[in-house]
Amino acid sequence: MEYRQHNPLPIPTSGAYESLNATIETVLDWQYELKKQNLLALYEKGKALSWNATDLDWSTDVDIERMMHDRLSNGAANLMNTLMSPPIPLKDDELIRMQLHMNSFMLSQFLHGEQGALLATAKIVQSVPWEEAKFYAANQVADEARHVEVYHRYLTEKLGISYGVNDQLRQLLDHILCDARWDITFLGMQIMVEGLALAAFGVTRMQMADEPLIQDLIGRVMADESRHVAFGVLSLSDLYTNQMTSAELKEREEFVIEATHLLRDRLLMEAVFERLDWDVPLWVEWAKSTPFMVGFRQMMFSKIVPNLRRLGLLTPRVREEYAKLDLLKFEHFKDSVEEPEVTPPHELVELMMQFMSARTNGAGATA
C-alpha cells in the first residue's frame, strides 16, 4: 500500500533498528490433538472477520485542529478548563494544541505497542505447546501486521504529528520479548499490554468522536484486540491456579505489579509537555493528581483487573498493590471471555457527557 508520509516518526537516539537478545524455546506439537475447542472457535472467528487496510476510506479529510476549534466554540473552553483543572487556565489555541498532541501521543504508543504485539505473537507461535494456540497466534500475527500498517499510515499521512516509543512501554516490551517463559509472553502482551490498549482505544474513540476515519480504524482494531485478549485468557486458564509452585506464582505476581506500574506511568505523557515546551514537572504533577487524569489512567485497567481475577492472579499480594492504586473497583467487571468489549467507567462517561451537553447548550443559546 502506497501513501505519503508527511511526517515520518521520530527515530530514537539508539538508531533506526534495535536488536534484542530474545531467548526462546521452540516447541513442536506432534500430537495435533486439537482438543481445545474454545481456541479453535476463536481461530475460526478470527479468520472469518479478517479485514484489509484498503477497506478504510483513506480519502477522508482529517483536520483535528478544526474539529477541536468547533468543539471549543460557544464558550466550551471554560468548561474544559473546569473539567480538566489544568495548573494554569488554557486559551483556545493551547487547548487545541494539547488535545492534538495527546491524541498523537496515544496513537503513536498504539503503533509501537502493535509492533511489540507482532513480535510477541510470532514468539507465541514458536513457544506455546498446543497446536490450537499456534493456529490462533499465527492468525493474530497477520492482525498485528495490519494494525501496524493502519496506525502508521494514519499518523504519518493524516495526523502529521507522532512520537517515539515511551520509555516505560519500551521497558515492558523488552521484558516480554526477552523472557524465555511462554506464559510471560502471554501474560505480558495478551493480558497486560493489549488489555490496557483495548481500554485506551475506547477512550480515544470517545475523544475523537467527530473524526470518521479514526472511528472506523479503531473500531476494526478493537474487534481484533478483543479476540486477542480473550485468546490470552483462554490459553492461560488453570495455569496459575493448578499448575505452578508458590515460587513460580510469586514471580508472576512480581511481573504483574511491575507491568502495572510501567503501563500506568506511560500515561503521564511527559513527552507531550516537553514537545509543547511547558513546565514538565508542573504538568506531570497535574497528570498524577487531577481527578480527570486519575480517572483516565484508572479506566485503562478496566479489563486487566477482571481478567487477572479470572486467571487467579488477583492474589492477596496483587490485590494489596491494586488497592493502593484504587483499581479493585474493576474487580467485578466482566472479563474478556464473558464480555470482550470495554465498558467505560461511569465517572468518565459522565464527564464526557457534561462536555457534550455544554457544547449543545452553548450552540443553542447562540442560535
Side-chain angles (χ1 to χ4, degrees):
M1 183 169 64
E2 296 182 2
Y3 55 93
R4 182 179 176 185
Q5 296 186 35
H6 295 295
N7 182 25
L9 270 83
I11 302 298
T13 55
S14 58
Y17 302 97
E18 179 181 359
S19 297
L20 299 177
N21 185 21
T23 303
I24 182 171
E25 182 179 68
T26 299
V27 179
L28 291 161
D29 175 11
W30 298 124
Q31 298 180 92
Y32 307 100
E33 284 188 306
L34 304 183
K35 291 167 54 177
K36 299 180 183 294
Q37 293 301 317
N38 49 11
L39 289 181
L40 291 174
L42 203 62
Y43 171 55
E44 291 298 329
K45 187 175 181 180
K47 289 191 294 181
L49 296 177
S50 182
W51 50 278
N52 198 312
T54 56
D55 295 338
L56 278 71
D57 183 4
W58 292 102
S59 66
T60 303
D61 178 35
V62 176
D63 190 337
I64 305 299
E65 290 189 48
R66 183 183 62 206
M67 181 185 77
M68 286 300 301
H69 185 273
D70 290 344
R71 286 185 182 181
L72 295 175
S73 62
N74 305 314
N78 292 331
L79 176 64
M80 194 164 180
N81 273 303
T82 300
L83 290 178
M84 298 184 69
S85 302
I88 19 179
L90 299 176
K91 298 177 182 178
D92 284 12
D93 62 329
E94 293 172 321
L95 285 166
I96 290 170
R97 287 180 64 220
M98 182 176 74
Q99 189 64 62
L100 179 61
H101 279 266
M102 282 187 168
N103 287 343
S104 68
F105 175 85
M106 291 297 292
L107 290 167
S108 296
Q109 302 319 306
F110 294 165
L111 168 64
H112 303 313
E114 297 291 359
Q115 182 181 186
L118 174 65
L119 300 177
T121 312
K123 181 183 171 186
I124 288 172
V125 174
Q126 290 183 265
S127 60
V128 71
W130 324 293
E131 203 70 13
E132 305 95 316
K134 292 180 185 293
F135 287 176
Y136 186 83
N139 191 64
Q140 185 178 332
V141 169
D143 286 348
E144 304 298 0
R146 190 168 58 245
H147 298 173
V148 171
E149 179 184 4
V150 295
Y151 277 126
H152 184 263
R153 180 171 184 176
Y154 188 87
L155 280 163
T156 59
E157 182 184 67
K158 294 298 183 181
L159 204 57
I161 299 175
S162 57
Y163 284 80
V165 62
N166 173 265
D167 287 343
Q168 287 86 2
L169 177 59
R170 186 174 181 172
Q171 288 179 50
L172 184 53
L173 292 179
D174 286 357
H175 191 159
I176 292 168
L177 294 171
C178 293
D179 198 299
R181 297 165 293 185
W182 66 265
D183 78 285
I184 291 291
T185 308
F186 263 111
L187 181 58
M189 182 54 64
Q190 308 293 102
I191 305 301
M192 303 299 296
V193 174
E194 294 209 309
L196 184 137
L198 190 56
F201 293 160
V203 172
T204 301
R205 288 189 83 190
M206 290 173 64
Q207 292 175 330
M208 302 178 73
D210 305 330
E211 205 290 87
L213 178 57
I214 199 64
Q215 291 294 309
D216 188 17
L217 188 160
I218 292 182
R220 292 172 185 269
V221 172
M222 285 183 74
D224 293 343
E225 297 290 5
S226 65
R227 294 192 302 275
H228 299 171
V229 178
F231 171 49
V233 175
L234 291 171
S235 298
L236 295 173
S237 178
D238 297 328
L239 180 65
Y240 300 120
T241 53
N242 297 322
Q243 301 178 39
M244 286 199 167
T245 66
S246 58
E248 290 172 328
L249 186 61
K250 182 178 179 181
E251 291 176 349
R252 273 63 178 182
E253 291 173 331
E254 291 172 352
F255 175 77
V256 166
I257 292 170
E258 179 189 3
T260 296
H261 282 283
L262 287 172
L263 289 171
R264 183 172 173 266
D265 290 348
R266 85 176 180 88
L267 297 168
L268 296 176
M269 303 188 188
E270 295 101 320
V272 170
F273 308 130
E274 290 175 3
R275 184 83 65 90
L276 293 173
D277 198 25
W278 291 358
D279 184 336
V280 176
L282 177 69
W283 282 90
V284 169
E285 184 57 35
W286 166 78
K288 288 180 178 179
S289 59
T290 190
F292 185 90
M293 292 300 290
V294 169
F296 168 76
R297 290 198 310 280
Q298 289 175 342
M299 188 264 177
M300 299 300 103
F301 291 86
S302 61
K303 273 301 181 190
I304 291 176
V305 178
N307 285 337
L308 290 175
R309 182 203 69 220
R310 184 184 181 99
L311 294 175
L313 279 176
L314 205 57
T315 61
R317 188 169 176 223
V318 174
R319 287 181 64 85
E320 181 181 1
E321 193 64 31
Y322 273 27
K324 295 176 186 175
L325 302 175
D326 195 22
L327 297 179
L328 291 179
K329 59 187 174 184
F330 303 122
E331 177 181 2
H332 299 294
F333 276 37
K334 292 183 178 179
D335 61 57
S336 289
V337 175
E338 297 172 310
E339 181 184 72
E341 298 79 15
V342 173
T343 303
H346 173 73
E347 297 85 354
L348 189 57
V349 174
E350 188 174 292
L351 286 175
M352 295 299 292
M353 291 302 294
Q354 287 179 31
F355 180 65
M356 298 301 291
S357 175
R359 285 177 54 200
T360 303
N361 294 337
T366 303

